[in-house]
Amino acid sequence: MYTAEVNRAQPACLMLLIDQSYSMSEPWSQATMSKAAALATAVNNVLATSVVLCTKGGRRVVDYFQVGALGYSDIVSSLFEDSTVDEPLRPVSALADKPRRVEKIVPDPAQPDEFVVQPVWVDTVHGGRTAMTGALAAAEKAVSAWCADHPDSFPPIVINLTDGMTTDGDPLPAAQRIQALGTNDGPALLLNVHLSRTGEGRINFPGTAASLPDKEARLLFEMSSELPTPMAEVASSFGYDLVPGARGFLYNADPSTVVQFLDIGTRGITPGGFPEITDGQ
């Protein structure tokens, strides 16, 4: 399983679920930005990198994957232009064509004349409660339809990024329904990241819930898929010492760890990852 070639005929699928509740306005670990701002920056960087890696022959973006992003607070909303909660997935070429805006960013304040151009798809948003169960239900609907249309593709990857507990009921049944979906290449993968205010007491890729401190952390663990072998190998290459049965879950993650996690979690859809994207028909 998890070896299907990714090409134009067999695109991959990535769904991002982003907590936009009020608590995301808090500082994130040692970062100077809020959780919402730092997370938006990390997600935009991952999307921009994916677009670049799918660009061939100068400016032609090849649709090696489809991507969706759902934000959740009091309600669930689709975060990309020309997308809806009912139809959140867009081919990567459409993503490249329609960022919300393009910003000039100065990486080094000492050199204000040197800047990079950064597309922005996901804005910094925070306010309201945490409709995680609703977001998972919306992702389930989209992933189910995608699997029916792409039975031989690499299984969908759903990444949920949150700093707290759900406020709209038990999310576990919806999470289990997502994990029950899949393609001929294996079950869909649901990965979860808990964002920490302090960055202390971090737990990365646990194999059991025994070390987790509270019921919310244990719930996110139960919602997380076991890392498939290729993804576990990528995590090991980053220096993580994985135990048997390690799951795609971070507890009390800091910004740098989340960036690594997004890299690990999206290797199924990016060139040079697992499996390597080709120019197949």
Side-chain angles (χ1 to χ4, degrees):
M1 297 190 295
Y2 305 103
T3 59
E5 181 181 276
V6 178
N7 55 47
R8 286 169 291 182
Q10 295 178 186
C13 173
L14 172 67
M15 178 70 73
L16 300 172
L17 309 181
I18 301 173
D19 185 345
Q20 296 183 324
S21 62
Y22 175 77
S23 59
M24 293 291 286
S25 63
E26 298 173 347
W28 186 4
S29 188
Q30 303 303 312
T32 57
M33 296 186 290
S34 67
K35 297 172 189 174
L39 183 56
T41 298
V43 168
N44 285 321
N45 286 340
V46 166
L47 295 175
T49 299
S50 298
V51 169
V52 169
L53 292 173
C54 291
T55 300
K56 305 292 184 181
R59 296 181 61 86
R60 181 174 64 94
V61 180
V62 182
D63 288 327
Y64 289 130
F65 69 94
Q66 296 181 6
V67 61
L70 297 174
Y72 58 94
S73 54
D74 287 328
I75 62 172
V76 180
S77 57
S78 186
L79 303 183
F80 295 153
E81 295 288 332
D82 297 334
S83 67
T84 66
V85 173
D86 289 333
E87 296 184 355
L89 292 168
R90 288 292 176 266
V92 65
S93 60
L95 193 71
D97 288 341
K98 282 201 170 183
R100 291 189 175 274
R101 63 185 177 278
V102 176
E103 294 180 344
K104 292 182 179 179
I105 298 175
V106 179
D108 185 355
Q111 303 181 58
D113 294 331
E114 296 188 10
F115 61 86
V116 296
V117 176
Q118 173 69 64
V120 174
W121 292 276
V122 176
D123 279 321
T124 299
V125 176
H126 46 75
R129 304 180 76 188
T130 313
M132 186 190 305
T133 300
L136 288 164
E140 175 201 351
K141 180 180 177 181
V143 167
S144 177
W146 188 91
C147 289
D149 290 339
H150 303 86
D152 296 319
S153 286
F154 190 92
I157 301 169
V158 180
I159 303 179
N160 179 40
L161 303 122
T162 180
D163 75 337
M165 67 185 75
T166 182
T167 58
D168 63 342
D170 184 3
L172 184 58
Q176 292 173 331
R177 290 194 300 269
I178 290 174
Q179 293 167 316
L181 299 170
T183 67
N184 295 332
D185 194 44
L189 296 169
L190 176 56
L191 315 178
N192 288 275
V193 178
H194 176 265
L195 312 181
S196 169
R197 181 172 185 175
T198 64
E200 298 176 356
R202 292 191 292 269
I203 299 174
N204 303 322
F205 306 108
T208 72
S211 61
L212 297 171
D214 54 52
K215 64 180 182 180
E216 286 78 24
R218 291 190 287 273
L219 175 61
L220 287 172
F221 172 83
E222 291 299 328
M223 290 166 50
S224 301
S225 300
E226 184 174 330
L227 290 177
T229 298
M231 194 177 287
E233 291 174 350
V234 177
S236 296
S237 74
F238 280 107
Y240 293 104
D241 186 15
L242 300 186
V243 299
R247 297 204 186 185
F249 174 51
L250 302 181
Y251 177 73
N252 269 6
D254 64 6
S256 61
T257 307
V258 170
V259 170
Q260 286 186 336
F261 186 88
L262 288 171
D263 190 358
I264 294 166
T266 56
R267 285 300 182 97
I269 63 168
T270 53
F274 76 97
E276 186 171 343
I277 282 178
T278 72
D279 285 318
Q281 298 300 313

